[in-house]
Amino acid sequence: MSHRGSRVLRLDALARVEGEAALHLAVRDGTVSEARLRIYEPPRFFEAFLVGRGHGEPPDITSRICGICPVAYQTTACQAIERACGVTVDGPLTQLRRLLYYGEWIESQTLHIHLLHAPDFLGHPSAVELAREHRAAVERGLRIKQAGNTIMEQLGGRAIHPINVRVGGFYHVPAPAELIPLAERLRRAHDDALETVRWVAGFDFPEARYDGPFLAMRDPGRYAIDSGTPAVMAAGAGSNGATPVRALPVEEFERHVVERQVPHSTALVSELDGHHYLTGSLARYAVSGRWLHPSALDAARAAGLGDPTTGTVCRNPFRSIIVRAVEVAHAVAEALRIIDAYEPPSRPHVAVPPRPATGCAATEAPRGLLYHRYAMDADGTLTLARIVPPTAQNQAAIEDDLRRQVQSRLDGPGEPPGDEELTALCERAVRNHDPCISCSAHFLDLTVERG
């Protein structure tokens, strides 16, 4: 069938992203008229069955939302409940929470870089084929990931769906001697992480640019992960050395970020003040890049990302793999800093007595800003639960990115793209954003209408 005529292109299963969805792309007279990321997995109703539960239960329940980033859900849930109850968790308990979160960043970002994303740049259909040609790189990635898993096992009780996290802190905290083997593993992982930055910096990156707003946590002096305030970088900002950001207090999050239902997706689509936006690694680097650990900041400069201390922003989604590698180097270095300074808290958790109140919180999951809000009555029974995950927030921006990238290829020189080329382009464009659609294995059924 002619590539210039009407046609339907399908790809029924794609490994290397998490969850299940389809992409519908309509092309009319050489123009992309529609790009829909159709997430069709059944709704999981976590918010609904949290209602009626006790105020200490959200960390365990919400961790089941994702097997790759359960700590993000646990941490955000804990902070929202604690704020509702007027309790502050600080000192060594805060540092241990951050260390656990870094473990998740390390394992999740490393998994994406080496097993899901790198094959796109090196011409391989999977990490298995990649390992045949780049065995050392894949083994290096597995070592880094194991270091992150070890943090989660040490502090969380297990690497998947940790069981040691509770509202107010932990059930058990480690003695300093228990962290010594972990520090030794992380020192080796730091060298591996810096080598990974150098490795991915050598990939061939297509030209692309996202010019919409960024949304990420901001905590001046720190590359924010579990603290700070949501902040917005305006569309197009950063290209001239200026990086203005606007604080968006977490209590006002739902006034600015509005979710709406669309017919083609079981995920709600978010808009920020009426516009699509992007959260995740590119947004974090834009908003907080100047506060990276010095070793990670040096690696970012050497990798060609520019100098975020002068306001340089990376807006090429294909280069997000470099940013993620830099974030892994940062997380490893910061995890070592926390371990080196660790002094056990006087108790593993603080009391969080219930009261009739509402609390909200946001943190940085590996894929972007995650928001929780809970309301409870006097005995701590939850009467409301609201969760806004990163991929739902990014859905509209991903669709816009697909539309622009396909249009750019259609307008380019040479013959119109064939089925295989167009499918590969769409797959790569989606994987740039590391979507966690439901959190697992296959993703794309691509339908292209041409007329």
Side-chain angles (χ1 to χ4, degrees):
M1 183 180 296
S2 170
H3 294 322
R4 298 185 184 277
S6 298
R7 60 173 173 161
V8 174
L9 189 154
R10 297 183 184 279
L11 179 64
D12 295 324
L14 170 68
R16 299 194 281 125
V17 296
E18 295 173 294
E20 297 178 344
L23 177 67
H24 179 91
L25 192 71
V27 180
R28 299 282 186 265
D29 298 324
T31 299
V32 180
S33 59
E34 192 173 28
R36 298 199 307 258
L37 182 63
R38 184 170 63 85
I39 295 175
Y40 57 80
E41 289 196 7
R44 300 168 71 193
F45 303 116
F46 272 89
E47 292 162 310
F49 60 71
L50 279 164
V51 173
R53 298 281 188 165
H55 78 304
E57 295 187 72
D60 287 328
I61 293 174
T62 61
S63 77
R64 267 63 180 179
I65 291 174
C66 182
I68 303 297
C69 51
V71 173
Y73 286 93
Q74 291 183 316
T75 303
T76 315
C78 285
Q79 290 189 4
I81 295 293
E82 289 155 6
R83 287 178 181 174
C85 297
V87 172
T88 299
V89 176
D90 54 16
L93 286 176
T94 298
Q95 294 301 309
L96 284 176
R97 275 186 174 174
R98 188 168 296 146
L99 177 60
L100 178 62
Y101 215 149
Y102 281 136
E104 179 163 280
W105 265 32
I106 293 165
E107 64 86 13
S108 178
Q109 300 284 53
T110 299
L111 181 150
H112 175 78
I113 292 165
H114 293 83
L115 305 185
L116 307 183
H117 206 185
D120 282 341
F121 295 94
L122 298 172
H124 296 286
S126 75
V128 174
E129 286 78 8
L130 177 68
R132 294 192 179 104
E133 185 176 340
H134 300 273
R135 178 168 181 160
V138 174
E139 289 181 342
R140 182 172 61 240
L142 293 176
R143 288 195 302 270
I144 301 169
K145 187 179 186 305
Q146 184 57 48
N149 286 347
T150 303
I151 294 175
M152 295 177 69
E153 292 166 357
Q154 179 77 58
L155 297 182
R158 59 189 185 191
I160 299 174
H161 307 316
I163 55 176
N164 191 38
V165 176
R166 58 169 291 167
V167 172
F170 297 87
Y171 291 100
H172 167 79
V173 295
E178 295 179 74
L179 299 181
I180 292 174
L182 180 56
E184 294 172 353
R185 181 186 289 270
L186 285 169
R187 289 188 182 94
R188 293 192 296 270
H190 189 241
D191 292 337
D192 283 336
L194 293 175
E195 181 58 34
T196 295
V197 177
R198 291 188 285 268
W199 180 56
V200 298
F203 292 171
D204 183 23
F205 299 102
E207 290 297 324
R209 183 175 176 84
Y210 169 78
D211 273 322
F214 285 131
L215 175 65
M217 298 296 288
R218 186 174 189 267
D219 189 5
R222 176 183 291 125
Y223 197 81
I225 175 171
D226 64 339
S227 60
T229 301
V232 179
M233 178 176 285
S239 58
N240 58 358
T243 55
V245 294
R246 169 174 60 90
L248 192 160
V250 69
E251 294 79 10
E252 300 178 12
F253 183 86
E254 292 177 65
R255 288 173 46 192
H256 296 272
V257 175
V258 177
E259 293 182 303
R260 59 184 175 86
Q261 200 162 19
V262 294
H264 62 271
S265 178
T266 54
L268 299 176
V269 173
S270 297
E271 291 183 341
L272 173 64
D273 296 326
H275 303 281
H276 65 73
Y277 62 100
L278 196 64
T279 186
S281 294
L282 289 182
R284 286 191 293 261
Y285 187 77
V287 170
S288 298
R290 67 187 61 206
W291 296 304
L292 283 162
H293 186 277
S295 63
L297 188 57
D298 287 343
R301 295 188 186 107
L305 290 177
D307 189 349
T309 65
T310 63
T312 303
V313 172
C314 175
R315 287 186 172 271
N316 184 342
F318 288 99
R319 290 182 177 268
S320 65
I321 192 171
I322 308 179
V323 179
R324 289 187 180 92
V326 168
E327 288 188 327
V328 172
H330 168 83
V332 173
E334 283 294 297
L336 278 167
R337 182 190 60 78
I338 291 172
I339 292 173
D340 289 343
Y342 175 62
E343 295 183 3
S346 59
R347 56 197 186 283
H349 61 269
V350 299
V352 185
R355 66 180 185 180
T358 298
C360 55
T363 71
E364 284 288 344
R367 289 159 188 84
L369 190 145
L370 171 64
Y371 171 84
H372 287 219
R373 176 166 62 93
Y374 300 99
M376 71 183 76
D377 60 19
D379 69 357
T381 300
L382 298 182
T383 59
L384 177 146
R386 183 76 180 276
I387 299 171
V388 184
T391 294
Q393 296 180 68
N394 284 341
Q395 183 173 347
I398 293 173
E399 291 174 338
D400 182 69
D401 190 28
L402 285 164
R403 183 183 299 107
R404 288 184 291 103
Q405 291 198 38
V406 171
Q407 189 64 60
S408 176
R409 178 61 187 90
L410 292 172
D411 292 341
E415 291 294 317
D419 292 0
E420 185 176 348
E421 180 183 348
L422 193 57
T423 297
L425 174 62
C426 291
E427 291 174 3
R428 292 189 68 184
V430 172
R431 275 194 290 265
N432 285 337
H433 300 282
D434 188 19
C436 185
I437 294 167
S438 75
C439 306
S440 209
H442 58 282
F443 155 69
L444 189 63
D445 174 23
L446 177 65
T447 300
V448 181
E449 295 182 4
R450 291 177 179 266

